[in-house]
Amino acid sequence: MALALLASDFLTKQMALTDFSGSDPTEALGGLLKFTLVFNSGGAFSFGAGNTWFFTAVKATVIVLLLVVSPRIRTRFWAVAFGLVIAGAAGNLVDRLFRAPSPGQGLVVDWIQLPHWPVFNLADCAVVCGSALVMWASTRGIRLDGTIASETPTEPGGTEQAAAGRGR
């Protein structure tokens, strides 16, 4: 899933570079959606514009950390959440590493705009959706293996009562 999303992000950014303009947006859905080409040196909402190196380092770190933790995942839910975040972070990291003006300082291609909202891309959508899933599951105590933090753990071959009765 992550590779498909990463490929979709790359392809749609290439289409945006070819077909859209920052000065003459293309409207769709009666103006609800606009396609506007923007190059972003900052993070979400252009926060930290000009600190591209920082966002490059953060994206790379997030990807590495999630890849290190991902072998512990035992549920489709967590796999989807991590896949979304990894794909989104990687999509924007590719821009930062390989687009102008220089490696590690590249500008992210943004091209989707909703009313009263900054311009964004598919990678941004993936990071936001994946992060929302991670936060939702974390607040509910859902572990990477699918168990709930409030559940009493059991030992292999044992029962909950046996595990709870130890230490008395």
Side-chain angles (χ1 to χ4, degrees):
M1 180 195 73
L3 290 176
L5 184 56
L6 182 59
S8 297
D9 180 62
F10 178 78
L11 291 173
T12 57
K13 286 176 181 176
Q14 290 307 115
M15 287 177 15
L17 288 168
T18 303
D19 299 336
F20 303 137
S21 160
S23 60
D24 188 23
T26 301
E27 290 189 2
L29 301 174
L32 176 66
L33 182 62
K34 292 182 183 178
F35 302 117
T36 305
L37 185 62
V38 174
F39 298 94
N40 185 1
S41 66
F45 306 104
S46 294
F47 173 77
N51 292 310
T52 305
W53 63 269
F54 173 76
F55 294 105
T56 302
V58 168
K59 298 278 186 202
T61 302
V62 166
I63 292 167
V64 168
L65 289 174
L66 291 178
L67 289 173
V68 166
V69 172
S70 65
R72 296 178 24 211
I73 293 174
R74 298 289 179 260
T75 67
R76 187 170 294 151
F77 176 89
W78 278 106
V80 168
F82 271 41
L84 286 168
V85 175
I86 290 169
N92 286 336
L93 181 61
V94 167
D95 284 0
R96 301 236 184 251
L97 292 176
F98 299 109
R99 294 202 189 273
S102 63
Q105 299 286 319
L107 303 177
V108 172
V109 176
D110 289 332
W111 58 276
I112 305 167
Q113 186 174 19
L114 297 170
H116 313 292
W117 198 257
V119 183
F120 58 96
N121 59 46
L122 292 183
D124 297 333
C125 292
V127 168
V128 168
C129 292
S131 298
L133 290 173
V134 167
M135 288 187 292
W136 180 85
S138 296
T139 59
R140 280 154 181 75
I142 302 172
R143 297 180 179 132
L144 295 176
D145 65 1
T147 61
I148 307 296
S150 62
E151 292 178 353
T152 305
T154 60
E155 299 256 336
T159 64
E160 286 184 22
Q161 289 177 341
R166 264 195 300 260
R168 287 189 187 174

